[in-house]
Coordinates of all heavy atoms in Angstrom, one line a residue:
E4 N 11.6 -52.4 35.5 CA 12.3 -51.5 36.5 C 12.7 -50.2 35.8 O 13.1 -50.1 34.6 CB 13.6 -52.2 37.0 CG 13.3 -53.4 37.9 CD 12.7 -53.1 39.2 OE1 13.0 -51.9 39.7 OE2 11.9 -53.9 39.7
L5 N 12.6 -49.1 36.6 CA 12.9 -47.8 36.1 C 14.3 -47.7 35.5 O 14.6 -47.0 34.5 CB 12.7 -46.7 37.1 CG 12.9 -45.3 36.7 CD1 12.1 -44.9 35.5 CD2 12.7 -44.3 37.9
T6 N 15.3 -48.3 36.2 CA 16.7 -48.2 35.8 C 16.8 -48.7 34.4 O 17.5 -48.1 33.5 CB 17.6 -49.0 36.8 OG1 17.5 -48.4 38.1 CG2 19.1 -48.9 36.3
G7 N 16.2 -49.9 34.1 CA 16.3 -50.4 32.8 C 15.6 -49.6 31.7 O 16.1 -49.4 30.6
R8 N 14.4 -49.0 32.1 CA 13.7 -48.1 31.1 C 14.5 -46.9 30.8 O 14.6 -46.4 29.7 CB 12.3 -47.8 31.7 CG 11.3 -48.9 31.5 CD 9.9 -48.4 31.9 NE 9.8 -48.4 33.4 CZ 9.2 -47.5 34.0 NH1 8.8 -46.3 33.4 NH2 9.1 -47.5 35.4
F9 N 15.1 -46.3 31.9 CA 15.9 -45.1 31.8 C 17.1 -45.4 30.9 O 17.5 -44.6 30.0 CB 16.4 -44.7 33.2 CG 17.3 -43.4 33.1 CD1 16.7 -42.2 32.8 CD2 18.6 -43.5 33.5 CE1 17.5 -41.0 32.8 CE2 19.4 -42.4 33.5 CZ 18.9 -41.1 33.2
D10 N 17.8 -46.5 31.1 CA 18.9 -46.9 30.3 C 18.6 -47.1 28.8 O 19.3 -46.6 27.9 CB 19.5 -48.2 30.8 CG 21.1 -48.2 30.9 OD1 21.6 -47.0 31.0 OD2 21.7 -49.2 30.8
A11 N 17.4 -47.7 28.6 CA 17.0 -47.9 27.2 C 16.6 -46.6 26.5 O 16.9 -46.4 25.3 CB 15.8 -48.9 27.2
Y12 N 16.0 -45.7 27.3 CA 15.6 -44.4 26.7 C 16.8 -43.6 26.4 O 16.9 -43.0 25.3 CB 14.7 -43.7 27.8 CG 14.4 -42.3 27.4 CD1 13.5 -41.9 26.4 CD2 15.1 -41.2 28.1 CE1 13.2 -40.6 26.1 CE2 14.8 -39.9 27.7 CZ 13.8 -39.6 26.7 OH 13.5 -38.3 26.4
R13 N 17.8 -43.6 27.2 CA 19.0 -42.8 27.0 C 19.8 -43.3 25.8 O 20.6 -42.6 25.2 CB 19.9 -42.7 28.2 CG 19.4 -41.9 29.4 CD 20.4 -41.8 30.5 NE 21.4 -40.8 30.3 CZ 22.5 -40.7 30.9 NH1 22.9 -41.6 31.8 NH2 23.3 -39.6 30.7
A14 N 19.6 -44.6 25.5 CA 20.5 -45.2 24.4 C 20.4 -44.5 23.1 O 21.4 -44.4 22.3 CB 20.1 -46.7 24.3
Q15 N 19.2 -43.8 22.8 CA 19.1 -43.1 21.6 C 19.9 -41.9 21.5 O 20.1 -41.3 20.4 CB 17.6 -42.8 21.4 CG 17.0 -41.8 22.4 CD 15.6 -41.5 22.2 OE1 15.1 -41.1 21.1 NE2 14.8 -41.7 23.3
F16 N 20.4 -41.4 22.7 CA 21.2 -40.2 22.7 C 22.7 -40.5 23.0 O 23.5 -39.6 23.4 CB 20.7 -39.3 23.8 CG 19.3 -38.8 23.5 CD1 18.2 -39.3 24.1 CD2 19.1 -37.8 22.5 CE1 16.9 -38.9 23.8 CE2 17.8 -37.3 22.2 CZ 16.7 -37.9 22.8
I17 N 23.1 -41.7 22.7 CA 24.6 -42.1 22.8 C 25.3 -41.6 21.5 O 24.8 -42.0 20.4 CB 24.8 -43.6 23.0 CG1 24.2 -44.0 24.3 CG2 26.2 -44.0 22.8 CD1 24.3 -45.6 24.5
V18 N 26.3 -40.9 21.6 CA 27.1 -40.5 20.5 C 27.9 -41.6 19.9 O 28.6 -42.3 20.7 CB 28.1 -39.3 20.8 CG1 28.9 -38.9 19.6 CG2 27.3 -38.1 21.4
P19 N 27.7 -42.0 18.6 CA 28.5 -43.1 18.1 C 30.0 -42.9 18.2 O 30.5 -41.8 18.1 CB 28.1 -43.1 16.6 CG 26.8 -42.4 16.6 CD 26.8 -41.4 17.7
E20 N 30.7 -43.9 18.6 CA 32.1 -43.8 18.9 C 32.9 -43.1 17.8 O 33.8 -42.3 18.1 CB 32.7 -45.2 19.2 CG 34.1 -45.1 19.8 CD 34.6 -46.5 20.2 OE1 33.7 -47.4 20.5 OE2 35.8 -46.7 20.4
H21 N 32.6 -43.4 16.5 CA 33.4 -42.8 15.5 C 33.1 -41.3 15.3 O 33.8 -40.6 14.6 CB 33.2 -43.6 14.2 CG 31.8 -43.5 13.6 ND1 30.8 -44.2 14.1 CD2 31.4 -42.7 12.5 CE1 29.7 -43.9 13.4 NE2 30.0 -43.0 12.5
Q22 N 32.0 -40.8 15.9 CA 31.6 -39.4 15.8 C 32.1 -38.6 17.0 O 31.9 -37.4 17.0 CB 30.1 -39.3 15.6 CG 29.5 -40.1 14.5 CD 29.8 -39.5 13.1 OE1 30.8 -38.8 12.9 NE2 29.0 -39.7 12.1
I23 N 32.6 -39.3 18.0 CA 32.9 -38.6 19.3 C 33.9 -37.5 19.0 O 33.7 -36.3 19.6 CB 33.4 -39.6 20.3 CG1 32.2 -40.4 20.8 CG2 34.0 -38.8 21.5 CD1 32.5 -41.5 21.8
P24 N 35.0 -37.7 18.3 CA 36.0 -36.6 18.2 C 35.4 -35.3 17.6 O 35.7 -34.2 18.2 CB 37.1 -37.2 17.3 CG 37.0 -38.7 17.5 CD 35.5 -38.9 17.7
K25 N 34.7 -35.4 16.6 CA 34.2 -34.1 16.0 C 33.0 -33.5 16.8 O 32.9 -32.3 16.9 CB 33.7 -34.3 14.6 CG 32.6 -35.2 14.3 CD 32.3 -35.3 12.8 CE 31.1 -36.2 12.5 NZ 30.8 -36.3 11.0
V26 N 32.2 -34.4 17.5 CA 31.1 -33.8 18.3 C 31.7 -33.1 19.5 O 31.3 -32.0 19.9 CB 30.1 -34.9 18.7 CG1 29.1 -34.4 19.7 CG2 29.5 -35.5 17.5
F27 N 32.6 -33.8 20.2 CA 33.2 -33.2 21.4 C 34.0 -32.0 21.1 O 34.0 -31.0 21.8 CB 34.1 -34.2 22.2 CG 34.6 -33.7 23.5 CD1 33.7 -33.5 24.5 CD2 35.9 -33.5 23.6 CE1 34.2 -33.0 25.7 CE2 36.4 -33.0 24.8 CZ 35.6 -32.8 25.9
S28 N 34.8 -32.0 20.0 CA 35.5 -30.8 19.6 C 34.6 -29.6 19.3 O 34.9 -28.5 19.7 CB 36.4 -31.1 18.3 OG 37.4 -32.1 18.6
A29 N 33.5 -29.9 18.7 CA 32.5 -28.8 18.4 C 32.0 -28.2 19.7 O 31.8 -27.0 19.9 CB 31.4 -29.3 17.6
A30 N 31.8 -29.1 20.7 CA 31.3 -28.6 22.0 C 32.3 -27.8 22.7 O 32.0 -26.7 23.3 CB 30.9 -29.8 22.9
V31 N 33.6 -28.2 22.6 CA 34.7 -27.4 23.3 C 34.8 -26.1 22.6 O 35.0 -25.0 23.3 CB 36.0 -28.2 23.2 CG1 37.1 -27.3 23.8 CG2 35.9 -29.5 24.1
E32 N 34.8 -26.0 21.3 CA 34.9 -24.8 20.5 C 33.8 -23.8 20.9 O 34.0 -22.6 21.0 CB 35.0 -25.0 19.0 CG 36.3 -25.7 18.6 CD 37.5 -24.8 18.9 OE1 37.4 -23.6 19.0 OE2 38.6 -25.4 19.1
K33 N 32.6 -24.4 21.0 CA 31.4 -23.5 21.4 C 31.6 -23.0 22.8 O 31.3 -21.8 23.0 CB 30.1 -24.3 21.3 CG 28.9 -23.5 21.6 CD 28.7 -22.4 20.6 CE 27.3 -21.7 20.8 NZ 27.2 -20.6 19.8
S34 N 32.0 -23.8 23.7 CA 32.2 -23.3 25.1 C 33.3 -22.2 25.1 O 33.2 -21.3 25.9 CB 32.5 -24.4 26.0 OG 33.7 -25.1 25.8
R35 N 34.4 -22.4 24.3 CA 35.4 -21.4 24.3 C 34.9 -20.1 23.7 O 35.2 -19.0 24.2 CB 36.6 -21.9 23.4 CG 37.8 -21.0 23.4 CD 38.9 -21.4 22.4 NE 40.1 -20.6 22.6 CZ 40.2 -19.4 22.0 NH1 39.3 -18.9 21.3 NH2 41.4 -18.7 22.2
E36 N 34.1 -20.2 22.6 CA 33.6 -19.0 22.0 C 32.7 -18.2 23.0 O 32.9 -17.0 23.1 CB 32.7 -19.4 20.8 CG 31.9 -18.3 20.1 CD 30.8 -18.8 19.2 OE1 31.1 -19.9 18.6 OE2 29.8 -18.2 19.1
L37 N 31.9 -18.9 23.7 CA 31.0 -18.2 24.6 C 31.8 -17.6 25.8 O 31.5 -16.5 26.3 CB 29.9 -19.1 25.1 CG 28.9 -19.6 24.1 CD1 28.0 -20.7 24.6 CD2 28.1 -18.5 23.5
T38 N 32.7 -18.3 26.3 CA 33.6 -17.8 27.4 C 34.4 -16.6 27.0 O 34.5 -15.7 27.8 CB 34.5 -19.0 27.9 OG1 33.7 -20.1 28.4 CG2 35.4 -18.5 29.1
S39 N 35.0 -16.7 25.8 CA 35.8 -15.6 25.4 C 35.1 -14.3 25.2 O 35.6 -13.2 25.1 CB 36.6 -15.9 24.1 OG 35.7 -16.1 23.0
T40 N 33.7 -14.3 25.1 CA 32.9 -13.1 25.0 C 33.0 -12.3 26.3 O 32.9 -11.1 26.3 CB 31.4 -13.5 24.7 OG1 31.4 -14.2 23.5 CG2 30.6 -12.2 24.6
Y41 N 33.2 -13.0 27.4 CA 33.2 -12.3 28.7 C 34.6 -12.3 29.4 O 34.8 -11.4 30.2 CB 32.2 -13.0 29.6 CG 30.8 -12.9 29.2 CD1 30.2 -13.8 28.4 CD2 30.0 -11.8 29.6 CE1 28.9 -13.7 27.9 CE2 28.7 -11.6 29.2 CZ 28.1 -12.6 28.4 OH 26.8 -12.4 28.0
I42 N 35.5 -13.2 29.0 CA 36.8 -13.2 29.7 C 37.9 -13.2 28.6 O 37.8 -13.9 27.6 CB 36.9 -14.5 30.5 CG1 35.9 -14.5 31.7 CG2 38.3 -14.6 31.1 CD1 36.0 -15.7 32.6
D43 N 38.9 -12.3 28.8 CA 40.0 -12.2 27.9 C 40.9 -13.4 28.0 O 41.5 -13.6 29.1 CB 40.7 -10.9 28.2 CG 41.9 -10.7 27.3 OD1 41.8 -11.0 26.1 OD2 43.0 -10.2 27.8
L44 N 41.1 -14.2 27.0 CA 41.9 -15.3 27.0 C 43.3 -15.0 26.4 O 43.4 -14.3 25.4 CB 41.3 -16.5 26.2 CG 39.9 -16.9 26.7 CD1 39.3 -18.0 25.7 CD2 40.0 -17.5 28.1
P45 N 44.3 -15.6 26.9 CA 45.7 -15.5 26.3 C 45.7 -15.9 24.8 O 45.0 -16.9 24.5 CB 46.6 -16.3 27.1 CG 45.8 -16.5 28.4 CD 44.4 -16.5 28.0
E46 N 46.5 -15.3 24.0 CA 46.5 -15.6 22.6 C 47.0 -17.0 22.3 O 46.5 -17.7 21.4 CB 47.4 -14.6 21.8 CG 46.7 -13.3 21.6 CD 47.6 -12.3 20.8 OE1 48.6 -12.8 20.2 OE2 47.2 -11.2 20.6
N47 N 47.9 -17.5 23.2 CA 48.6 -18.8 22.9 C 47.9 -19.9 23.7 O 48.4 -21.0 23.7 CB 50.1 -18.7 23.2 CG 50.3 -18.5 24.7 OD1 49.6 -17.8 25.4 ND2 51.4 -19.1 25.3

């Protein structure tokens, strides 16, 4: 079934639980950096 094949294929792209904090934090920092190029953000 396609659902099972899709699930198995995506499994290789699961972020290991112990790596989630640093991977997600890096994603947030990148999105902030790109956004601040176009929109003035408050200092605090």
Side-chain angles (χ1 to χ4, degrees):
E4 292 292 331
L5 179 58
T6 298
R8 282 187 282 134
F9 180 69
D10 224 26
Y12 172 74
R13 287 186 87 193
Q15 65 184 306
F16 295 101
I17 293 175
V18 179
E20 189 170 339
H21 67 284
Q22 305 286 28
I23 289 176
K25 64 180 180 182
V26 175
F27 185 68
S28 294
V31 174
E32 288 301 333
K33 183 63 175 180
S34 66
R35 184 186 189 279
E36 172 195 328
L37 294 172
T38 299
S39 65
T40 301
Y41 292 91
I42 296 180
D43 179 37
L44 300 175
E46 288 186 4
N47 65 325

